[in-house]
mmCIF file of all heavy atoms in Angstrom:
data_model
loop_
_atom_site.group_PDB
_atom_site.id
_atom_site.type_symbol
_atom_site.label_atom_id
_atom_site.label_comp_id
_atom_site.label_asym_id
_atom_site.label_seq_id
_atom_site.Cartn_x
_atom_site.Cartn_y
_atom_site.Cartn_z
ATOM 1 N N LYS A 323 154.574 8.697 106.514
ATOM 2 C CA LYS A 323 154.084 9.948 107.101
ATOM 3 C C LYS A 323 153.980 11.040 106.040
ATOM 4 O O LYS A 323 153.044 11.864 106.062
ATOM 5 C CB LYS A 323 155.020 10.390 108.224
ATOM 6 C CG LYS A 323 154.578 11.650 108.963
ATOM 7 C CD LYS A 323 153.298 11.420 109.747
ATOM 8 C CE LYS A 323 153.030 12.519 110.772
ATOM 9 N NZ LYS A 323 152.958 13.874 110.212
ATOM 10 N N VAL A 324 154.898 11.049 105.092
ATOM 11 C CA VAL A 324 154.853 12.039 104.006
ATOM 12 C C VAL A 324 153.591 11.843 103.172
ATOM 13 O O VAL A 324 152.864 12.797 102.869
ATOM 14 C CB VAL A 324 156.114 11.943 103.122
ATOM 15 C CG1 VAL A 324 156.005 12.889 101.927
ATOM 16 C CG2 VAL A 324 157.366 12.264 103.939
ATOM 17 N N TYR A 325 153.313 10.588 102.793
ATOM 18 C CA TYR A 325 152.106 10.301 102.013
ATOM 19 C C TYR A 325 150.851 10.589 102.830
ATOM 20 O O TYR A 325 149.861 11.118 102.303
ATOM 21 C CB TYR A 325 152.105 8.846 101.543
ATOM 22 C CG TYR A 325 153.068 8.566 100.422
ATOM 23 C CD1 TYR A 325 154.254 7.865 100.634
ATOM 24 C CD2 TYR A 325 152.789 8.991 99.126
ATOM 25 C CE1 TYR A 325 155.144 7.614 99.597
ATOM 26 C CE2 TYR A 325 153.673 8.732 98.079
ATOM 27 C CZ TYR A 325 154.846 8.049 98.331
ATOM 28 O OH TYR A 325 155.723 7.806 97.299
ATOM 29 N N ALA A 326 150.876 10.248 104.105
ATOM 30 C CA ALA A 326 149.709 10.493 104.965
ATOM 31 C C ALA A 326 149.422 11.988 105.084
ATOM 32 O O ALA A 326 148.261 12.409 105.005
ATOM 33 C CB ALA A 326 149.947 9.883 106.343
ATOM 34 N N ASP A 327 150.467 12.786 105.249
ATOM 35 C CA ASP A 327 150.270 14.233 105.353
ATOM 36 C C ASP A 327 149.658 14.798 104.077
ATOM 37 O O ASP A 327 148.806 15.696 104.126
ATOM 38 C CB ASP A 327 151.597 14.926 105.657
ATOM 39 C CG ASP A 327 152.072 14.698 107.082
ATOM 40 O OD1 ASP A 327 151.265 14.231 107.908
ATOM 41 O OD2 ASP A 327 153.257 14.974 107.366
ATOM 42 N N PHE A 328 150.092 14.281 102.939
ATOM 43 C CA PHE A 328 149.551 14.731 101.652
ATOM 44 C C PHE A 328 148.048 14.443 101.588
ATOM 45 O O PHE A 328 147.247 15.302 101.191
ATOM 46 C CB PHE A 328 150.279 14.024 100.508
ATOM 47 C CG PHE A 328 149.987 14.578 99.143
ATOM 48 C CD1 PHE A 328 150.756 15.589 98.599
ATOM 49 C CD2 PHE A 328 148.923 14.082 98.392
ATOM 50 C CE1 PHE A 328 150.486 16.102 97.335
ATOM 51 C CE2 PHE A 328 148.640 14.589 97.140
ATOM 52 C CZ PHE A 328 149.424 15.601 96.608
ATOM 53 N N ILE A 329 147.664 13.220 101.999
ATOM 54 C CA ILE A 329 146.248 12.835 102.008
ATOM 55 C C ILE A 329 145.477 13.636 103.055
ATOM 56 O O ILE A 329 144.374 14.139 102.802
ATOM 57 C CB ILE A 329 146.107 11.319 102.281
ATOM 58 C CG1 ILE A 329 146.763 10.490 101.169
ATOM 59 C CG2 ILE A 329 144.632 10.935 102.447
ATOM 60 C CD1 ILE A 329 146.100 10.553 99.833
ATOM 61 N N ASN A 330 146.064 13.774 104.238
ATOM 62 C CA ASN A 330 145.387 14.478 105.331
ATOM 63 C C ASN A 330 145.060 15.922 104.957
ATOM 64 O O ASN A 330 144.018 16.465 105.379
ATOM 65 C CB ASN A 330 146.249 14.459 106.595
ATOM 66 C CG ASN A 330 146.350 13.077 107.222
ATOM 67 O OD1 ASN A 330 145.519 12.204 106.965
ATOM 68 N ND2 ASN A 330 147.370 12.871 108.040
ATOM 69 N N ASN A 331 145.928 16.560 104.202
ATOM 70 C CA ASN A 331 145.723 17.954 103.833
ATOM 71 C C ASN A 331 144.495 18.169 102.950
ATOM 72 O O ASN A 331 144.027 19.299 102.795
ATOM 73 C CB ASN A 331 146.965 18.502 103.125
ATOM 74 C CG ASN A 331 148.105 18.785 104.089
ATOM 75 O OD1 ASN A 331 147.881 19.009 105.272
ATOM 76 N ND2 ASN A 331 149.325 18.756 103.590
ATOM 77 N N MET A 332 143.960 17.082 102.380
ATOM 78 C CA MET A 332 142.755 17.206 101.544
ATOM 79 C C MET A 332 141.488 17.228 102.394
ATOM 80 O O MET A 332 140.409 17.528 101.885
ATOM 81 C CB MET A 332 142.698 16.063 100.529
ATOM 82 C CG MET A 332 143.863 16.068 99.551
ATOM 83 S SD MET A 332 143.706 14.769 98.293
ATOM 84 C CE MET A 332 145.438 14.455 97.930
ATOM 85 N N GLY A 333 141.603 16.882 103.675
ATOM 86 C CA GLY A 333 140.485 17.041 104.590
ATOM 87 C C GLY A 333 139.339 16.069 104.425
ATOM 88 O O GLY A 333 138.172 16.459 104.516
ATOM 89 N N PHE A 334 139.639 14.795 104.243
ATOM 90 C CA PHE A 334 138.581 13.798 104.069
ATOM 91 C C PHE A 334 137.894 13.473 105.388
ATOM 92 O O PHE A 334 138.526 13.408 106.442
ATOM 93 C CB PHE A 334 139.140 12.514 103.466
ATOM 94 C CG PHE A 334 139.614 12.654 102.056
ATOM 95 C CD1 PHE A 334 140.971 12.655 101.753
ATOM 96 C CD2 PHE A 334 138.705 12.816 101.022
ATOM 97 C CE1 PHE A 334 141.411 12.791 100.451
ATOM 98 C CE2 PHE A 334 139.132 12.948 99.708
ATOM 99 C CZ PHE A 334 140.489 12.940 99.424
ATOM 100 N N ARG A 335 136.586 13.252 105.308
ATOM 101 C CA ARG A 335 135.801 12.842 106.475
ATOM 102 C C ARG A 335 136.184 11.433 106.921
ATOM 103 O O ARG A 335 136.156 11.119 108.116
ATOM 104 C CB ARG A 335 134.306 12.883 106.129
ATOM 105 C CG ARG A 335 133.375 12.367 107.214
ATOM 106 C CD ARG A 335 131.919 12.581 106.827
ATOM 107 N NE ARG A 335 131.619 12.012 105.527
ATOM 108 C CZ ARG A 335 131.291 10.729 105.324
ATOM 109 N NH1 ARG A 335 131.231 9.884 106.335
ATOM 110 N NH2 ARG A 335 131.016 10.288 104.100
ATOM 111 N N LYS A 336 136.558 10.580 105.965
ATOM 112 C CA LYS A 336 136.937 9.192 106.245
ATOM 113 C C LYS A 336 137.873 8.722 105.141
ATOM 114 O O LYS A 336 137.697 9.072 103.975
ATOM 115 C CB LYS A 336 135.687 8.297 106.293
ATOM 116 C CG LYS A 336 135.968 6.831 106.562
ATOM 117 C CD LYS A 336 134.668 6.028 106.626
ATOM 118 C CE LYS A 336 133.938 6.011 105.292
ATOM 119 N NZ LYS A 336 132.717 5.185 105.331
ATOM 120 N N VAL A 337 138.870 7.928 105.514
ATOM 121 C CA VAL A 337 139.795 7.343 104.547
ATOM 122 C C VAL A 337 139.818 5.841 104.783
ATOM 123 O O VAL A 337 140.250 5.369 105.845
ATOM 124 C CB VAL A 337 141.223 7.920 104.681
ATOM 125 C CG1 VAL A 337 142.167 7.243 103.685
ATOM 126 C CG2 VAL A 337 141.220 9.433 104.469
ATOM 127 N N SER A 338 139.346 5.053 103.797
ATOM 128 C CA SER A 338 139.292 3.594 103.917
ATOM 129 C C SER A 338 140.478 2.977 103.183
ATOM 130 O O SER A 338 140.735 3.296 102.016
ATOM 131 C CB SER A 338 137.981 3.053 103.326
ATOM 132 O OG SER A 338 136.866 3.563 104.029
ATOM 133 N N VAL A 339 141.203 2.097 103.880
ATOM 134 C CA VAL A 339 142.402 1.462 103.338
ATOM 135 C C VAL A 339 142.254 -0.049 103.492
ATOM 136 O O VAL A 339 141.778 -0.537 104.518
ATOM 137 C CB VAL A 339 143.666 1.944 104.085
ATOM 138 C CG1 VAL A 339 144.912 1.317 103.490
ATOM 139 C CG2 VAL A 339 143.766 3.463 104.061
ATOM 140 N N PHE A 340 142.672 -0.790 102.460
ATOM 141 C CA PHE A 340 142.548 -2.246 102.484
ATOM 142 C C PHE A 340 143.869 -2.896 102.881
ATOM 143 O O PHE A 340 144.889 -2.724 102.205
ATOM 144 C CB PHE A 340 142.111 -2.752 101.107
ATOM 145 C CG PHE A 340 141.903 -4.244 101.039
ATOM 146 C CD1 PHE A 340 140.939 -4.863 101.812
ATOM 147 C CD2 PHE A 340 142.667 -5.026 100.187
ATOM 148 C CE1 PHE A 340 140.733 -6.235 101.750
ATOM 149 C CE2 PHE A 340 142.475 -6.393 100.105
ATOM 150 C CZ PHE A 340 141.504 -7.002 100.886
ATOM 151 N N ASP A 341 143.849 -3.633 103.986
ATOM 152 C CA ASP A 341 144.978 -4.445 104.448
ATOM 153 C C ASP A 341 146.326 -3.723 104.315
ATOM 154 O O ASP A 341 147.206 -4.168 103.577
ATOM 155 C CB ASP A 341 145.025 -5.772 103.670
ATOM 156 C CG ASP A 341 145.950 -6.790 104.325
ATOM 157 O OD1 ASP A 341 146.304 -6.614 105.507
ATOM 158 O OD2 ASP A 341 146.342 -7.758 103.632
ATOM 159 N N PRO A 342 146.504 -2.613 105.055
ATOM 160 C CA PRO A 342 147.796 -1.920 104.984
ATOM 161 C C PRO A 342 148.902 -2.743 105.616
ATOM 162 O O PRO A 342 148.647 -3.652 106.411
ATOM 163 C CB PRO A 342 147.538 -0.629 105.778
ATOM 164 C CG PRO A 342 146.450 -0.999 106.728
ATOM 165 C CD PRO A 342 145.566 -1.977 105.989
ATOM 166 N N HIS A 343 150.128 -2.385 105.297
ATOM 167 C CA HIS A 343 151.286 -3.176 105.714
ATOM 168 C C HIS A 343 151.422 -3.263 107.232
ATOM 169 O O HIS A 343 151.834 -4.297 107.763
ATOM 170 C CB HIS A 343 152.557 -2.581 105.110
ATOM 171 C CG HIS A 343 153.806 -3.332 105.442
ATOM 172 N ND1 HIS A 343 154.060 -4.598 104.958
ATOM 173 C CD2 HIS A 343 154.867 -3.007 106.233
ATOM 174 C CE1 HIS A 343 155.228 -5.020 105.420
ATOM 175 N NE2 HIS A 343 155.730 -4.084 106.201
ATOM 176 N N SER A 344 151.112 -2.170 107.925
ATOM 177 C CA SER A 344 151.260 -2.184 109.381
ATOM 178 C C SER A 344 150.261 -1.230 110.019
ATOM 179 O O SER A 344 149.564 -0.473 109.335
ATOM 180 C CB SER A 344 152.689 -1.792 109.784
ATOM 181 O OG SER A 344 152.890 -0.392 109.624
ATOM 182 N N ASP A 345 150.230 -1.240 111.343
ATOM 183 C CA ASP A 345 149.329 -0.372 112.100
ATOM 184 C C ASP A 345 149.715 1.103 112.004
ATOM 185 O O ASP A 345 148.935 1.972 112.393
ATOM 186 C CB ASP A 345 149.317 -0.778 113.575
ATOM 187 C CG ASP A 345 148.726 -2.162 113.798
ATOM 188 O OD1 ASP A 345 147.967 -2.626 112.929
ATOM 189 O OD2 ASP A 345 149.036 -2.781 114.838
ATOM 190 N N VAL A 346 150.902 1.385 111.500
ATOM 191 C CA VAL A 346 151.363 2.767 111.412
ATOM 192 C C VAL A 346 150.456 3.590 110.502
ATOM 193 O O VAL A 346 150.210 4.769 110.751
ATOM 194 C CB VAL A 346 152.828 2.822 110.926
ATOM 195 C CG1 VAL A 346 153.288 4.266 110.747
ATOM 196 C CG2 VAL A 346 153.744 2.110 111.918
ATOM 197 N N VAL A 347 149.928 2.976 109.436
ATOM 198 C CA VAL A 347 149.049 3.701 108.513
ATOM 199 C C VAL A 347 147.857 4.288 109.263
ATOM 200 O O VAL A 347 147.534 5.477 109.125
ATOM 201 C CB VAL A 347 148.573 2.784 107.368
ATOM 202 C CG1 VAL A 347 147.483 3.477 106.541
ATOM 203 C CG2 VAL A 347 149.738 2.406 106.465
ATOM 204 N N ALA A 348 147.198 3.468 110.060
ATOM 205 C CA ALA A 348 146.031 3.942 110.818
ATOM 206 C C ALA A 348 146.409 5.025 111.810
ATOM 207 O O ALA A 348 145.598 5.891 112.139
ATOM 208 C CB ALA A 348 145.367 2.777 111.536
ATOM 209 N N ALA A 349 147.654 4.999 112.272
ATOM 210 C CA ALA A 349 148.105 5.980 113.255
ATOM 211 C C ALA A 349 148.393 7.345 112.632
ATOM 212 O O ALA A 349 148.235 8.369 113.300
ATOM 213 C CB ALA A 349 149.351 5.468 113.967
ATOM 214 N N VAL A 350 148.807 7.374 111.367
ATOM 215 C CA VAL A 350 149.224 8.642 110.752
ATOM 216 C C VAL A 350 148.186 9.218 109.794
ATOM 217 O O VAL A 350 148.283 10.391 109.409
ATOM 218 C CB VAL A 350 150.580 8.499 110.031
ATOM 219 C CG1 VAL A 350 151.685 8.167 111.021
ATOM 220 C CG2 VAL A 350 150.514 7.455 108.912
ATOM 221 N N VAL A 351 147.179 8.417 109.392
ATOM 222 C CA VAL A 351 146.143 8.904 108.484
ATOM 223 C C VAL A 351 144.934 9.339 109.293
ATOM 224 O O VAL A 351 144.395 8.568 110.096
ATOM 225 C CB VAL A 351 145.730 7.806 107.471
ATOM 226 C CG1 VAL A 351 144.572 8.286 106.599
ATOM 227 C CG2 VAL A 351 146.919 7.413 106.601
ATOM 228 N N ASN A 352 144.494 10.559 109.080
ATOM 229 C CA ASN A 352 143.339 11.079 109.812
ATOM 230 C C ASN A 352 142.062 10.337 109.424
ATOM 231 O O ASN A 352 141.843 10.050 108.240
ATOM 232 C CB ASN A 352 143.146 12.567 109.521
ATOM 233 C CG ASN A 352 144.283 13.423 110.058
ATOM 234 O OD1 ASN A 352 145.053 12.971 110.910
ATOM 235 N ND2 ASN A 352 144.399 14.641 109.570
#
Side-chain angles (χ1 to χ4, degrees):
K323 183 67 165 57
V324 175
Y325 286 106
D327 287 346
F328 190 90
I329 297 292
N330 290 340
N331 285 336
M332 297 184 209
F334 293 107
R335 175 174 54 85
K336 179 179 65 177
V337 178
S338 298
V339 182
F340 182 62
D341 194 17
H343 181 68
S344 75
D345 294 338
V346 176
V347 171
V350 296
V351 176
N352 294 343

